[in-house]
Amino acid sequence: MSGIFFLGTTGSLLNIILFSRRKLRQTSCCIYFLAASFSSLLSLLFGLIPTFYLLNNVYPGNYSVVFCKMQSYVTHTSLQMTRAFLALACFDRYTLSLGNTYLQRFATVTVACRCIPIVILSCYLIAIHLVIYLDVVNSSCGIRYAPALIYNSVYSITTISVTLPLFMFTFSLLTLMNLKRRQKQRQQMNTGLIHRDIIRDRKVFFTLSVQLILYFISTALYAPNIIYTTITQNMPKSSDQQAIGVFINRIALLLIYIYPGLSFSAFTLSSGTFRRELINLWRSLPIHCVRGATVTPHTTTNRRTLNLTNNQT
């Protein structure tokens, strides 16, 4: 878990720096990646730092209602924002692949900058029930009101494991089909400019696909864990069942942070443009700007020339 936290926070900061650079921020898809990097960093800070504190101390949410509500609320909404930005990136690539001039207007930086605040506000409003119903009961932070617990389970499974993955998969598949169709059409024209356009579209789609695969891995156990926890919450369990439940819960928790923790590595491995910008960033650091002064060796010939010049003077 500590490795995920270190890689995630460092990688998210580097993602923010790189996607803020002029070359990358001119692409609408990269704007969504930039926003997702911010929300990923926020989820790591609010989600994992209390987990590390819990190793040797009492979890503050077990006795502080304010901490219980805010830590869970901010962590959940930050992760939801990351998923929503990835979904918008999929739709962005889809509209661009259509070749329709009107629909391509949605794949612009201006539209992306307008969508991001809407997503942020929507995520905060949709999950407001966490602030209302989360409470400290019997020295534990959680939702104790049964209808609210069922609603939260259905809401979480529907958005995280059904709606968003289905949305991403559908538009990714449609984008791939559109790219293949456009490639066949453009190959008949046989121009170098169009060939470069095809390569660029496929590279961006490949980068997005790697991010989606990482996301699907991170949510693989989320729905089964939520369903199992909800069903067995009030059921008597043996010590073995409790140990299995705790183990599954920890694995599901670890997987949830796989995407925020490894997104930078995925960008680096899948995108040549991202790697070049990373190299340029490294070369622009002050340690590469300081050049050593050139020192001319003081040889015997130099000394003789200097002495002759002095004598002539």
Side-chain angles (χ1 to χ4, degrees):
M1 189 71 76
S2 58
I4 293 293
F5 177 78
F6 175 77
L7 290 174
T9 52
T10 305
S12 295
L13 289 173
L14 288 173
N15 285 343
I16 292 170
I17 295 172
L18 291 171
F19 285 122
S20 299
R21 292 171 71 88
R22 183 176 182 180
K23 185 174 182 178
L24 293 180
R25 70 171 184 264
Q26 293 176 347
T27 305
S28 54
C29 189
C30 292
I31 297 298
Y32 292 122
F33 287 152
L34 175 61
S37 299
F38 273 107
S39 55
S40 294
L41 178 62
L42 199 62
S43 66
L44 288 167
L45 295 177
F46 277 84
L48 291 186
I49 290 180
T51 302
F52 296 142
Y53 181 82
L54 179 62
L55 296 177
N56 298 313
N57 302 275
V58 178
Y59 174 59
N62 290 343
Y63 53 84
S64 172
V65 177
V66 175
F67 189 90
C68 168
K69 291 177 180 289
M70 295 312 299
Q71 190 264 334
S72 301
Y73 180 66
V74 174
T75 302
H76 173 80
T77 52
S78 300
L79 289 169
Q80 287 288 67
M81 289 176 201
T82 303
R83 299 164 186 136
F85 292 138
L86 285 179
L88 284 176
C90 293
F91 183 74
D92 175 272
R93 292 299 94 186
Y94 166 71
T95 56
L96 191 64
S97 68
L98 285 173
N100 186 297
T101 305
Y102 177 77
L103 292 177
Q104 283 181 343
R105 297 177 182 177
F106 290 96
T108 60
V109 174
T110 302
V111 171
C113 292
R114 291 175 180 175
C115 289
I116 289 172
I118 296 175
V119 169
I120 294 174
L121 181 61
S122 300
C123 288
Y124 281 133
L125 290 177
I126 293 174
I128 197 66
H129 65 279
L130 294 176
V131 177
I132 298 173
Y133 292 107
L134 276 171
D135 202 353
V136 177
V137 180
N138 297 326
S139 300
S140 179
C141 175
I143 299 177
R144 303 302 176 186
Y145 185 54
L149 180 61
I150 295 174
Y151 168 79
N152 182 67
S153 301
V154 173
Y155 149 77
S156 299
I157 294 172
T158 302
T159 56
I160 299 174
S161 299
V162 179
T163 307
L164 288 175
L166 184 61
F167 184 94
M168 296 176 189
F169 177 78
T170 301
F171 282 105
S172 298
L173 182 61
L174 292 174
T175 302
L176 181 61
M177 294 171 60
N178 289 336
L179 289 176
K180 289 183 177 180
R181 175 179 53 82
R182 290 174 61 190
Q183 183 175 3
K184 292 180 180 179
Q185 294 174 351
R186 293 172 177 178
Q187 282 176 344
Q188 298 176 356
M189 302 178 67
N190 195 24
T191 64
L193 178 61
I194 294 179
H195 179 65
R196 289 194 297 269
D197 191 23
I198 294 173
I199 294 176
R200 181 201 61 195
D201 291 345
R202 294 182 72 90
K203 284 182 177 179
V204 175
F205 179 74
F206 176 72
T207 301
L208 178 59
S209 299
V210 173
Q211 297 295 312
L212 294 181
I213 291 172
L214 196 61
Y215 166 76
F216 292 147
I217 293 173
S218 68
T219 57
L221 284 180
Y222 187 83
N225 182 57
I226 288 291
I227 294 173
Y228 176 79
T229 302
T230 303
I231 294 176
T232 63
Q233 183 181 19
N234 297 320
M235 294 175 57
K237 302 177 186 177
S238 65
S239 57
D240 292 338
Q241 290 175 329
Q242 292 177 0
I244 293 174
V246 170
F247 176 76
I248 294 176
N249 185 65
R250 289 181 178 178
I251 295 298
L253 177 64
L254 177 63
L255 287 178
I256 281 293
Y257 293 102
I258 285 291
Y259 177 80
L262 300 180
S263 63
F264 171 76
S265 301
F267 280 125
T268 305
L269 293 174
S270 61
S271 174
T273 303
F274 190 86
R275 289 193 297 271
R276 286 191 292 271
E277 288 298 311
L278 180 61
I279 293 172
N280 292 335
L281 176 64
W282 172 255
R283 290 176 177 174
S284 66
L285 295 177
I287 58 175
H288 295 283
C289 298
V290 179
R291 298 182 181 274
T294 303
V295 179
T296 303
H298 192 61
T299 61
T300 305
T301 305
N302 292 338
R303 287 196 297 270
R304 289 178 180 177
T305 304
L306 181 60
N307 290 336
L308 179 61
T309 304
N310 292 336
N311 290 337
Q312 290 177 351
T313 304

